[in-house]
C-alpha cells in the first residue's frame, strides 16, 4: 500500500529475471488502463503534446512503488542472491517522472531511520521535459513544506498555469546525490546558456553535472542474431546485407524496390528540438529528385500534417515518400 494524494493505493509488481538482472514492473490501473486497449493512448497523455490530468499522481505512485520494491519484494531467481534487496541500494532516477524519489527517500524513509545508506543519481535524458505543474499542486505530493523551495519555479509560459509553478526536475536535481546526463557534450551544453538548459542552467551550474556516454547492449542489438531483420550480418558481411535490407524496407513501406535509389531515413519526435522544421524544409528540396524518403515519428501536429501532405502533393513526382 502507498499513499498517493489523499488515497491509499494497492500496488502490485511484475517480476522477471533476465541475463543476471531482476526486472521489476509496477502494476496499477493508473498506468495500464490508460495505455492498453483500443484507445491508442500514450504513456503521458491521450495524444501527443497533451497530458493526463492525473500525471502528478501517476508518477508519484511510480516513485513510491520504486522505493518500496527493494524492501518488500522477495526475489529469488538468482543463484547468487535471494530475498529482498534491502536498504543498502542505489537508485537511478531518470528524468522528471522519477524526480520525487530523492524527496520521498529523505522525508519518508531516512527521516525514520530507513535507507540511511541509500543514494540517488538523477539522470537527465532531455532537459526540455521538466514536469512543470501549478504551484497549488504541491500538497498533492505529500511532502513536507521544507521541500517547497526545491520545487519553486517561475517562468513566462501560460501552460499549465501562468507564473509560479512547481518543477519536478528542478527538485530532482537539487535533492539527488549526483546529477548525470547522456554524454559529456550534452552536459556542457546544458550549462552553456538559458535556452540550452531550458531555464535550469543556473541550477545545474550550482550542483554540477557529469556526462556519461549512452551505452548499447551489444547482445540485444546484434545484427548477427537479430530476429527482427530478414538478413543477418556481421562486420564481414554488412556490405552484402545492406542492399538486401534496403529492398526489404522499400517493399515493406510501399516504395519502388530499387537498390540504386538513395534512401534517406528519419526516426524521431517531430519537434523543433529534433530538427523537424529543417526536415520539412529539406524534403521540399529533395522531392523532385531521384530519391526516396522514409519518416517515422509522431509529435507536433503541424509537422505531422506537413509531412503527410507531402505524400498527397508529390505522389508521382519523386520515387517515393513514405
Amino acid at each position: 500500500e502507498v499513499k498517493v494524494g489523499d488515497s491509499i493505493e494497492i500496488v502490485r509488481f511484475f517480476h522477471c529475471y533476465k541475463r543476471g538482472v531482476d526486472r521489476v514492473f509496477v502494476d496499477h490501473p493508473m498506468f495500464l488502463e490508460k495505455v492498453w486497449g483500443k484507445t491508442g493512448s500514450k504513456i503521458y497523455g491521450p495524444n501527443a503534446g497533451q497530458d493526463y490530468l492525473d500525471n502528478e499522481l501517476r508518477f508519484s505512485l511510480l516513485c513510491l512503488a520504486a522505493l518500496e520494491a527493494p524492501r518488500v519484494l522477495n526475489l529469488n531467481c538468482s543463484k547468487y542472491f535471494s530475498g529482498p534487496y534491502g536498504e543498502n541500494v542505489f537508485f537511478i532516477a531518470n528524468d522528471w517522472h522519477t524526480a520525487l524519489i530523492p524527496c520521498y527517500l529523505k522525508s519518508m524513509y531516512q527521516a525514520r531511520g530507513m535507507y540511511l545508506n541509500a543514494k540517488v543519481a538523477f539522470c537527465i535524458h532531455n532537459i526540455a521535459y521538466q514536469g512543470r505543474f501549478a504551484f497549488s499542486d504541491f500538497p498533492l505530493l505529500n511532502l513536507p513544506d521544507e521541500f517547497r523551495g526545491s520545487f519553486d519555479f517561475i517562468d513566462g509560459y501560460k501552460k499549465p498555469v501562468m507564473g509560479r509553478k512547481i518543477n519536478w526536475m528542478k527538485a530532482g536535481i537539487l535533492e539527488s546525490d549526483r546529477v548525470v546526463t547522456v554524454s559529456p557534450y550534452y552536459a556542457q551544453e546544458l550549462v552553456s546558456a538559458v535556452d540550452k538548459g531550458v531555464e535550469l542552467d543556473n541550477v545545474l551550474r550550482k550542483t554540477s553535472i557529469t556526462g556519461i556516454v549512452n551505452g548499447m547492449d551489444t547482445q540485444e542489438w546484434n545484427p548477427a542474431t537479430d530476429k527482427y531483420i530478414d538478413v543477418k550480418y556481421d562486420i564481414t558481411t554488412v556490405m552484402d546485407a545492406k542492399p538486401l535490407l534496403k529492398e526489404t524496407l522499400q517493399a515493406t513501406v510501399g516504395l519502388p524496390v530499387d537498390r540504386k535509389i538513395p534512401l534517406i531515413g528519419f526516426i524521431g519526435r517531430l519537434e523543433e528540438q529534433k530538427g523537424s522544421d529543417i526536415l520539412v524544409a529539406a524534403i521540399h528540396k529533395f522531392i523532385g529528385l531521384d530519391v526516396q524518403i522514409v519518416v517515422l515519428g509522431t509529435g507536433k501536429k503541424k509537422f505531422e500534417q506537413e509531412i503527410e501532405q507531402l505524400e498527397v502533393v508529390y505522389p508521382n513526382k519523386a520515387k517515393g515518400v513514405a
Side-chain angles (χ1 to χ4, degrees):
E1 294 182 353
V2 295
K3 185 179 180 182
V4 181
D6 295 325
S7 65
I8 301 296
E9 299 292 337
I10 295 175
V11 173
R12 301 191 307 154
F13 297 93
F14 293 112
H15 167 247
C16 70
Y17 182 77
K18 183 178 179 182
R19 290 170 53 192
V21 178
D22 284 302
R23 301 159 192 244
V24 177
F25 302 85
V26 177
D27 175 21
H28 191 276
M30 277 191 181
F31 290 102
L32 298 184
E33 71 182 5
K34 285 185 165 67
V35 178
W36 303 124
K38 299 179 180 179
T39 64
S41 297
K42 316 299 181 186
I43 293 175
Y44 310 115
N47 300 295
Q50 182 181 354
D51 292 336
Y52 289 123
L53 296 178
D54 62 349
N55 268 355
E56 287 180 278
L57 296 177
R58 296 171 72 231
F59 290 109
S60 64
L61 180 143
L62 176 64
C63 294
L64 291 164
L67 284 160
E68 279 293 291
R71 297 178 58 251
V72 302
L73 295 185
N74 187 22
L75 308 177
N76 58 3
C77 293
S78 172
K79 63 181 179 180
Y80 304 105
F81 175 84
S82 64
Y85 275 39
E87 297 181 4
N88 294 324
V89 293
F90 180 70
F91 294 97
I92 302 175
N94 292 284
D95 288 329
W96 74 263
H97 323 87
T98 54
L100 298 185
I101 283 180
C103 305
Y104 288 148
L105 180 67
K106 293 176 180 179
S107 65
M108 295 183 177
Y109 294 94
Q110 292 178 342
R112 300 173 185 170
M114 295 181 286
Y115 277 134
L116 294 180
N117 295 322
K119 303 293 183 184
V120 181
F122 186 72
C123 184
I124 299 172
H125 295 263
N126 191 331
I127 196 73
Y129 300 94
Q130 299 177 2
R132 301 182 188 185
F133 300 97
F135 193 77
S136 59
D137 286 354
F138 181 79
L140 293 175
L141 308 182
N142 294 327
L143 286 168
D145 282 346
E146 64 195 71
F147 287 90
R148 282 184 185 269
S150 295
F151 286 85
D152 200 354
F153 190 79
I154 297 177
D155 63 25
Y157 299 104
K158 295 181 180 179
K159 293 180 64 176
V161 293
M162 190 68 182
R164 197 176 188 191
K165 299 174 173 65
I166 57 173
N167 186 317
W168 283 38
M169 182 172 280
K170 178 190 173 187
I173 292 169
L174 291 174
E175 298 295 340
S176 295
D177 297 288
R178 290 292 298 272
V179 181
V180 297
T181 190
V182 294
S183 76
Y185 179 82
Y186 195 46
Q188 296 173 8
E189 182 179 307
L190 293 182
V191 298
S192 64
V194 174
D195 60 329
K196 299 294 185 182
V198 193
E199 301 173 278
L200 287 180
D201 52 305
N202 279 332
V203 178
L204 290 170
R205 276 192 286 270
K206 292 176 183 176
T207 56
S208 79
I209 182 169
T210 303
I212 303 173
V213 175
N214 264 340
M216 184 183 75
D217 187 331
T218 54
Q219 185 172 335
E220 184 81 13
W221 301 100
N222 181 0
T225 59
D226 194 335
K227 64 182 180 181
Y228 294 108
I229 59 175
D230 294 283
V231 182
K232 311 292 189 289
Y233 64 89
D234 57 26
I235 195 170
T236 63
T237 58
V238 59
M239 298 310 292
D240 295 323
K242 282 185 70 177
L244 298 174
L245 290 168
K246 177 179 176 179
E247 291 176 345
T248 301
L249 175 60
Q250 289 171 324
T252 301
V253 299
L255 293 172
V257 176
D258 186 340
R259 66 174 61 181
K260 295 180 180 179
I261 297 176
L263 176 60
I264 300 170
F266 173 89
I267 301 176
R269 287 195 311 280
L270 300 178
E271 299 180 10
E272 288 89 352
Q273 190 187 36
K274 297 297 183 181
S276 297
D277 51 339
I278 300 172
L279 172 70
V280 171
I283 289 178
H284 280 285
K285 296 183 179 181
F286 279 113
I287 207 75
L289 304 177
D290 194 14
V291 64
Q292 296 176 343
I293 303 170
V294 177
V295 178
L296 174 63
T298 59
K300 290 188 175 178
K301 289 300 178 185
K302 68 173 183 177
F303 293 133
E304 290 183 0
Q305 292 168 356
E306 286 176 345
I307 292 172
E308 288 171 354
Q309 188 64 25
L310 287 171
E311 297 182 54
V312 177
V313 176
Y314 300 107
N316 299 314
K317 188 173 182 182
K319 289 294 183 180
V321 177

